[in-house]
């Protein structure tokens, strides 16, 4: 399975069977890279792309194109407005990835029962709804083997401010940012690995 960060809060998750775009925006990816099998998954708001792709935008259980996708809600309260950020567990060929949106609080027991023990967790640290420590503890509670974090700017050679904050909470001192996180069931290993994605 390959996970790529396309910018902002947009990720591409694919293997030989599935092709998922998380939070696609017209400015974050090349429209020619999508196929009729590409699934759009939105954690926080609808995309701004007009086409006929299959879209998942709310909590629930879905079986699409050989992928099992289970979405759970997380409440966000901001300036007295209440909204929902949906977190997803995407499973394909025995591998599972938890996709964490811009959550507003720690995961409740229902969300944890769905997301826990996912092989990998992918998220953007640029979340103004929750502080870095609570976000990091939430990710730890899922107990993944791979923690995949976006936010390294390849052109400037620097992490974003929020990425800098979250890697300090995780205790990461030295890292080599990657263009893509790739793993298989056999390559997961026994210890937890933190992967920083660049764009």
């Amino acid at each position: 399975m390959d996970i790529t960060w396309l910018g902002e809060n947009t990720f591409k998750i694919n293997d030989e069977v599935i092709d998922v775009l998380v939070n696609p925006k017209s400015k974050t990816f090349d429209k020619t890279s999508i196929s009729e099998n590409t699934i759009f998954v939105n954690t926080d708001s609808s995309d701004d792309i007009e086409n006929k792709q299959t879209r998942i935008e709310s909590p629930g259980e879905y079986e699409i194109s050989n992928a099992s996708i289970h979405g759970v809600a997380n409440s966000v309260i901001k300036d007295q407005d209440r909204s929902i950020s949906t977190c997803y567990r995407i499973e394909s060929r025995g591998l599972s990835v938890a996709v964490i949106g811009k959550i507003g609080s720690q995961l409740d027991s229902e969300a944890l029962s769905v997301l826990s023990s996912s092989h990998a967790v992918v998220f953007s640290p640029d979340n103004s709804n929750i502080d870095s420590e609570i976000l990091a503890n939430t990710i730890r509670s899922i107990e993944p083997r791979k923690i995949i974090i976006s936010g390294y700017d390849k052109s400037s050679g620097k992490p974003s401010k929020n990425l800098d904050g979250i890697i300090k909470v995780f205790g990461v001192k030295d890292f080599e940012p990657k263009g893509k996180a790739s793993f298989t069931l056999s390559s997961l290993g026994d210890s937890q690995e933190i992967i920083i994605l660049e764009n």
Side-chain angles (χ1 to χ4, degrees):
M1 185 174 282
D2 297 328
I3 300 176
T4 314
W5 176 44
L6 303 179
E8 295 189 11
N9 197 24
T10 305
F11 297 92
K12 183 177 179 72
I13 302 171
N14 67 305
D15 60 19
E16 290 90 351
V17 177
I18 62 163
D19 185 36
V20 177
L21 273 175
V22 178
N23 299 319
K25 297 281 186 250
S26 56
K27 62 182 175 181
T28 55
F29 78 100
D30 178 6
K31 288 189 186 81
T32 61
S33 68
I34 61 175
S35 72
E36 60 185 31
N37 296 324
T38 304
I39 303 166
F40 286 3
V41 172
N42 290 297
T43 60
D44 302 291
S45 59
S46 294
D47 55 71
D48 59 353
I49 300 152
E50 291 184 25
N51 60 21
K52 296 177 181 167
Q53 300 309 125
T54 300
R55 285 175 166 76
I56 297 175
E57 303 179 319
S58 58
E61 293 185 53
Y62 308 88
E63 295 284 337
I64 304 169
S65 301
N66 299 311
S68 169
I69 302 176
H70 193 161
V72 289
N74 179 273
S75 181
V76 178
I77 299 170
K78 198 167 186 180
D79 302 327
Q80 298 180 340
D81 290 330
R82 187 182 176 107
S83 62
I84 286 178
S85 175
T86 306
C87 300
Y88 296 94
R89 179 180 170 113
I90 300 170
E91 292 186 57
S92 172
R93 300 187 314 144
L95 276 174
S96 57
V97 178
V99 177
I100 307 301
K102 294 191 178 178
I103 57 175
S105 59
Q106 290 187 342
L107 300 171
D108 62 20
S109 58
E110 180 188 348
L112 265 180
S113 71
V114 170
L115 302 173
S116 66
S117 300
S118 292
H119 296 106
V121 172
V122 62
F123 71 100
S124 166
D126 295 318
N127 182 349
S128 59
N129 301 327
I130 196 170
D131 74 35
S132 293
E133 197 153 325
I134 295 172
L135 181 56
N137 287 335
T138 300
I139 300 304
R140 284 186 187 113
S141 69
I142 297 171
E143 299 181 349
R145 301 271 185 84
K146 308 279 184 195
I147 296 175
I148 301 165
I149 315 169
S150 63
Y152 192 87
D153 185 342
K154 191 161 52 173
S155 59
S156 71
K158 294 181 181 172
S160 69
K161 181 182 166 193
N162 288 345
L163 172 59
D164 203 36
I166 200 114
I167 59 178
K168 282 179 181 158
V169 174
F170 276 122
V172 176
K173 295 198 171 33
D174 297 315
F175 63 89
E176 184 78 35
K178 297 182 178 182
K180 176 170 56 175
S182 299
F183 53 92
T184 62
L185 267 176
S186 59
S187 71
L188 280 171
D190 294 327
S191 57
Q192 193 174 75
E193 180 186 11
I194 295 176
I195 301 169
I196 311 297
L197 294 180
E198 64 182 5
N199 182 287

